[in-house]
Amino acid sequence: MMDRRILAGGVSLLALASAVTVRAQGVNGLPPEAAALPAAPGEIVVTAQKRSEKLQDVPLSIVALTTEALAERNVRNFNDYAKFLPSLSYTSYGPGQAEVYFRGLSNGNRLSTGSLPTVGVYLDEQPVTTIGSTIDVHIYDIARVEALSGPQGTLFGASSEAGTLRIITNKPDTKAFSGSVDLTANTVAHGKSGGIAESYLNIPLSSRAALRVVGFYQYDGGYIDNVRAPGGVTYPTSGVVRDNKALVGRDQNSIEAYGGRAALKVDLDDNWTATASVMGQRQTSNGNFAFKPSVGDLKTTRFFPEAQKDEWYQASLAIEGKLGSFDLTYAGAYFERKAAYTSDYSDYAYLYDSYYASTPDYFGNNFKNNAGNLINPAQIVSQDERFTKQSHELRIASPSSDRLRIVAGLFYQRQTNNWRNLYTVPGLADAQSVTGLPGVNYANIQFRTDRDYAAFAEAAFDIVPSLTLTGGLRAYKYDNNVIGFFGFNGTRSAVGEALCFPGTIGSYGTQRPCDNIDAKATGSGVRHKLNLSWKAAPGKLLYATWSTGFRPGGINRRPTAPAYAVEQLTNYEIGWKTSWLGGKVLFNGALFLEKLNQAQFAVTSDQNGITDIVNAGRARSKGVEADLTVRPAQGLSFQVSGTYADAVITTDLCKYTNAAFDCTIPSASGNPNALRAPAGTRFAGSPRFKLSGLMRYEFTLGRFDYFLQAAAFHQSSVSSSLDVDEARLIGLQPGYSTVDLSAGISRDTWSASLTVENLGDKRAQQSRTATCAISICGRGSVVVYPLRPRFVSFRVGRRF
């Protein structure tokens, strides 16, 4: 571990040593494919349509944060850039555990056998989307973060149903040596101090080869206190008293992260280039990132130690060249992520034991030791995941100057998730434990494989120079399977070992007791896009789009539950990209209507309360998104962006689903049905309204350059659950407004800046949930994952 820290930080030391031998150079802000397209000062070049284009010429709702914009906004992680992307919303349960949504369609789940996400997350050319948790890439020496709203189902495919988030790194540059070093000290209100060391070097090796290396180390102080439960906790059935005195402490949720990137670019000849890169990151954290309002502000009571570890790496190869006048690109990559979480599940045990105190055989009497005595039923949850993904794409593009322009290609990916989730009760009798796993009360141990195949093509034809028709198709096929185990010991419940398949019992040693899941889902289809764009005048682009996206179907872990089908999204959009007063004013936006069909929802089955994924109806989102940039004078700029998205279900959601969406029809087992959410209910996890604004003023006094900057953010309230009764009990996630301020000074190659984020120390909520079933556990189980309290940082940097 220490060797890797030294390696990550070594780039900074190397850069410092090299600084004395080279002359100052500007920061390389664009990757080679974008830099090849001439752009005026202030113009942004993007590759959202798999070719380099100026942002204002792309008939697509897209927000792009460039290298310069990311640095100006002090962006270092997911939360930092997400607040500047108006159509993007998220729920977060800690670092690296965010679920991402676009335009309010927050229909996700965190089941290992559950639906794939609705948003595709790309790291350069590779999708790195994982279920329930978006990787938190450290943002440094990044060319762009692009947010593509709406279905991107032709060029980006599965898991880009509602939108695509792209993180694009800066590539090696053969033209000049460059680099930078940045050191940051910071402190968080109600918590501890931290810091960051970052550096990159771009090293030309010859006129045809260059190497780019990046390294960073980061420590963030915690701000959540674990306080003592007064008098301890007494479990009703066993009478055991539990005290958390030994774990009491302040500011326990600290984070340590380090990582790096190395990329080698080689011009094989005048027409062909190969770029190989490897990047990786390791992040560890302690404690819990939620507090309990019932205990106090930024305070919680936890009875088991908690920790998280998240590490990943990616190796990729891109080969670009010419076949006549056509551009040919191959992009292949391998991604691996390992995550381990340890969580306290004591609330569940205590509150269930209390709720069923009058009928202890349902809960409390099930927890005994080998001597037959009742024990403390408190549980600790351990979760280990190993996620892998390999992807390959081969595409060809005709010249961008042609009247008819075509991008076409083939895509393949294979992803696996080896998932091990154990609920352990210390001292639990062997006879009550899952076979082969002493102390484990309940286990989820599954291996999932998802394969995706696609062929895609998109063609743009200039009917006349100012009017362009674009059409795209993507034919896809998916092949998914899950094998593994879930449930209890065979003597405890009908869920678990009682469902073991013959011939699998005892086959896996201590890996799992048997298989009771072995299912496969396949499907195929075609998605389309049709776009008409009109350049009404110089700097005035209007467009209309009809596009579709999809989310693959899959299987459920319960053997008798049917597979769920493909979810389909249809998008109708009218947008504009306009420039006024010689480029001093930019006003872009879009009106949209999205309709979701065969929507995939997580519901509780009528057999032992297991959660299934079902196609349970329809939904829609309608609204508007817009951004305005004004540069009234040299050095002064204003930017405002916002989204209004009204995302609701349009059919009733029942406790037990049926084809008629009729909540009076009993379940298949005859259990009485109930209405979970009537048509018109808002999706959980996303605000209706999100707004951000930024003012920046740059000026020179004497030999120094200065800047002053203010940024403001607002989002409306968020529902905590789609289930209306559950949402009422958990409570609404309130809307909030925050302000960031920063100021800086620079001279030649040196710079320094001071930033204050969340100036008013608002206790904004990123997520609001309950530690167990709210109808049983009550409002005392509600927890809040807050936005980081007021955060002050001071950065010193040098570029060369």
Side-chain angles (χ1 to χ4, degrees):
M1 178 175 174
M2 183 58 68
D3 290 342
R4 283 184 284 179
R5 290 188 200 175
I6 293 172
L7 180 62
V11 176
S12 298
L13 298 177
L14 177 61
L16 284 168
S18 301
V20 300
T21 64
V22 298
R23 62 186 180 87
Q25 302 287 342
V27 175
N28 177 27
L30 291 174
E33 70 275 12
L37 183 67
E43 283 188 326
I44 299 173
V45 175
V46 297
T47 53
Q49 297 190 120
K50 307 240 175 178
R51 64 167 81 235
S52 296
E53 299 171 288
K54 296 174 185 178
L55 176 64
Q56 291 299 108
D57 294 336
V58 179
L60 175 70
S61 182
I62 175 174
V63 174
L65 300 175
T66 63
T67 302
E68 182 181 30
L70 292 167
E72 290 175 353
R73 290 158 175 76
N74 202 37
V75 170
R76 289 295 179 266
N77 56 39
F78 170 82
N79 286 3
D80 290 342
Y81 64 74
K83 60 188 178 184
F84 291 101
L85 304 176
S87 289
L88 183 148
S89 57
Y90 66 94
T91 55
S92 178
Y93 304 94
Q97 298 183 64
E99 294 183 77
V100 184
Y101 320 117
F102 271 91
R103 292 178 171 173
L105 293 175
S106 51
N107 187 21
N109 61 77
R110 300 171 66 83
L111 296 174
S112 62
T113 57
S115 304
L116 291 169
T118 61
V119 173
V121 179
Y122 277 68
L123 185 54
D124 286 326
E125 292 275 1
Q126 186 189 30
V128 292
T129 313
T130 58
I131 293 176
S133 54
T134 301
I135 63 169
D136 199 351
V137 178
H138 184 80
I139 303 299
Y140 187 75
D141 190 46
I142 296 297
R144 293 183 311 286
V145 174
E146 295 181 0
L148 286 59
S149 300
Q152 308 297 320
T154 52
L155 291 181
F156 292 97
S159 289
S160 287
E161 177 189 38
T164 300
L165 180 65
R166 305 180 68 211
I167 301 170
I168 302 164
T169 61
N170 277 317
K171 304 302 186 293
D173 185 1
T174 59
K175 295 183 179 65
F177 182 97
S178 65
S180 67
V181 178
D182 291 275
L183 301 174
T184 303
N186 56 54
T187 184
V188 62
H190 318 286
K192 293 181 178 178
S193 301
I196 310 174
E198 306 160 297
S199 184
Y200 92 86
L201 283 175
N202 183 82
I203 308 168
L205 303 177
S206 70
S207 61
R208 288 188 176 274
L211 175 69
R212 197 177 190 100
V213 291
V214 183
F216 81 94
Y217 174 82
Q218 177 174 353
Y219 178 82
D220 290 342
Y223 48 84
I224 300 291
D225 301 339
N226 190 26
V227 300
R228 190 175 183 184
V233 171
T234 302
Y235 288 82
T237 303
S238 65
V240 171
V241 179
R242 187 86 188 278
D243 194 344
N244 68 335
K245 179 181 178 180
L247 294 177
V248 167
R250 293 178 57 83
D251 312 324
Q252 292 195 346
N253 60 321
S254 59
I255 304 172
E256 182 184 45
Y258 54 89
R261 181 174 84 241
L264 176 66
K265 173 188 173 184
V266 178
D267 293 331
L268 304 175
D269 59 25
D270 292 340
N271 293 319
W272 288 87
T273 298
T275 304
S277 70
V278 61
M279 66 181 85
Q281 184 172 309
R282 188 179 195 271
Q283 181 171 270
T284 57
S285 56
N286 299 301
N288 197 284
F289 286 80
F291 71 90
K292 284 186 174 182
S294 60
V295 175
D297 183 38
L298 301 179
K299 291 177 171 56
T300 190
T301 51
R302 312 302 281 175
F303 291 83
F304 284 110
E306 295 181 297
Q308 302 84 34
K309 182 175 71 173
D310 186 356
E311 57 186 21
W312 58 266
Y313 77 89
Q314 181 201 59
S316 64
L317 174 66
I319 300 175
E320 301 165 283
K322 291 280 190 180
L323 284 180
S325 61
F326 285 73
D327 295 322
L328 185 69
T329 301
Y330 164 77
Y334 177 82
F335 173 80
E336 181 173 317
R337 183 182 188 186
K338 295 180 181 178
Y341 309 102
T342 304
S343 306
D344 182 7
Y345 207 47
S346 297
D347 274 4
Y348 163 82
Y350 171 70
L351 294 169
Y352 265 66
D353 199 22
S354 300
Y355 187 83
Y356 292 106
S358 61
T359 54
D361 285 347
Y362 184 85
F363 188 81
N365 283 345
N366 290 298
F367 301 93
K368 298 179 180 180
N369 59 21
N370 284 329
N373 300 318
L374 290 173
I375 61 173
N376 173 13
Q379 301 179 40
I380 185 168
V381 180
S382 60
Q383 181 170 313
D384 296 278
E385 295 181 69
R386 180 176 179 268
F387 179 90
T388 70
K389 178 176 288 195
Q390 61 167 301
S391 64
H392 305 273
E393 181 171 298
L394 181 67
R395 66 177 182 268
I396 191 167
S398 63
S400 58
S401 58
D402 287 357
R403 186 179 182 186
L404 175 63
R405 300 172 296 281
I406 298 173
V407 175
L410 301 172
F411 175 81
Y412 167 76
Q413 73 171 10
R414 180 183 185 270
Q415 58 186 29
T416 67
N417 191 8
N418 196 343
W419 200 67
R420 185 179 176 90
N421 178 233
L422 308 179
Y423 293 73
T424 301
V425 178
L428 185 67
D430 294 341
Q432 293 180 305
S433 303
V434 175
T435 300
L437 299 171
V440 174
N441 178 55
Y442 185 91
N444 284 300
I445 307 170
Q446 289 131 36
F447 185 79
R448 172 173 176 166
T449 303
D450 295 80
R451 298 176 180 85
D452 294 280
Y453 312 81
F456 61 90
E458 189 167 287
F461 178 69
D462 296 332
I463 302 171
V464 295
S466 61
L467 189 65
T468 301
L469 179 66
T470 301
L473 292 173
R474 188 180 188 97
Y476 67 87
K477 177 184 177 182
Y478 65 86
D479 184 348
N480 308 332
N481 72 279
V482 178
I483 187 169
F485 171 85
F486 79 103
F488 298 94
N489 176 287
T491 64
R492 292 280 311 281
S493 169
V495 175
E497 293 181 40
L499 300 173
C500 286
F501 299 143
T504 67
I505 300 172
S507 301
Y508 304 101
T510 59
Q511 294 297 311
R512 57 182 185 267
C514 67
D515 287 339
N516 58 16
I517 309 171
D518 189 356
K520 183 176 183 178
T522 61
S524 60
V526 177
R527 299 287 88 194
H528 74 264
K529 171 185 174 181
L530 192 64
N531 173 278
L532 183 66
S533 61
W534 176 41
K535 295 179 180 178
K540 310 293 186 294
L541 175 69
L542 305 176
Y543 69 88
T545 300
W546 172 35
S547 59
T548 56
F550 71 98
R551 181 157 57 158
I555 67 99
N556 284 295
R557 56 182 170 169
R558 190 166 57 89
T560 57
Y564 51 93
V566 172
E567 181 181 87
Q568 300 174 346
L569 181 68
T570 302
N571 172 61
Y572 306 94
E573 182 176 324
I574 298 174
W576 62 92
K577 300 278 185 78
T578 62
S579 174
W580 307 84
L581 301 178
K584 291 183 178 181
V585 177
L586 301 177
F587 181 45
N588 302 335
L591 300 168
F592 60 85
L593 170 63
E594 298 187 338
K595 295 184 177 181
L596 195 64
N597 192 32
Q598 296 191 124
Q600 297 171 3
F601 289 105
V603 301
T604 302
S605 76
D606 64 340
Q607 298 179 17
N608 302 299
I610 298 300
T611 300
D612 292 337
I613 305 298
V614 298
N615 298 101
R618 297 180 293 274
R620 65 106 176 106
S621 177
K622 63 180 181 180
V624 59
E625 52 202 9
D627 60 87
L628 173 68
T629 300
V630 181
R631 302 183 182 94
Q634 184 174 355
L636 180 63
S637 63
F638 299 90
Q639 293 178 309
V640 180
S641 58
T643 293
Y644 173 81
D646 182 28
V648 300
I649 59 174
T650 54
T651 52
D652 291 345
L653 181 63
C654 307
K655 181 178 180 181
Y656 306 122
T657 61
N658 53 69
F661 311 116
D662 184 348
C663 299
T664 65
I665 299 175
S667 73
S669 300
N671 293 323
N673 211 336
L675 180 67
R676 287 184 61 203
T681 300
R682 287 172 57 189
F683 277 89
S686 293
R688 275 202 178 100
F689 185 66
K690 182 180 177 183
L691 178 71
S692 68
L694 183 141
M695 184 280 291
R696 183 178 178 91
Y697 180 48
E698 300 176 352
F699 58 97
T700 300
L701 285 177
R703 301 172 65 184
F704 293 91
D705 297 321
Y706 300 86
F707 79 85
L708 299 172
Q709 181 173 288
F713 313 93
H714 173 77
Q715 76 168 41
S716 60
S717 62
V718 173
S719 176
S720 54
S721 174
L722 186 61
D723 186 303
V724 291
D725 290 334
E726 190 174 275
R728 176 178 52 82
L729 292 171
I730 294 175
L732 200 65
Q733 188 176 310
Y736 64 86
S737 300
T738 63
V739 173
D740 296 350
L741 297 177
S742 59
I745 183 173
S746 61
R747 178 182 174 185
D748 299 328
T749 61
W750 291 92
S751 63
S753 62
L754 177 68
T755 301
V756 183
E757 301 174 28
N758 191 5
L759 178 67
D761 194 27
K762 296 293 185 68
R763 203 63 68 239
Q765 300 183 12
Q766 295 184 100
S767 300
R768 184 183 182 94
T769 187
T771 55
C772 53
I774 188 70
S775 59
I776 292 176
C777 299
R779 289 178 174 168
S781 65
V782 172
V783 294
V784 168
Y785 291 83
L787 195 69
R788 185 170 56 189
R790 182 173 55 247
F791 186 73
V792 180
S793 62
F794 178 71
R795 183 194 62 82
V796 177
R798 185 183 181 189
R799 57 183 176 84
F800 44 86

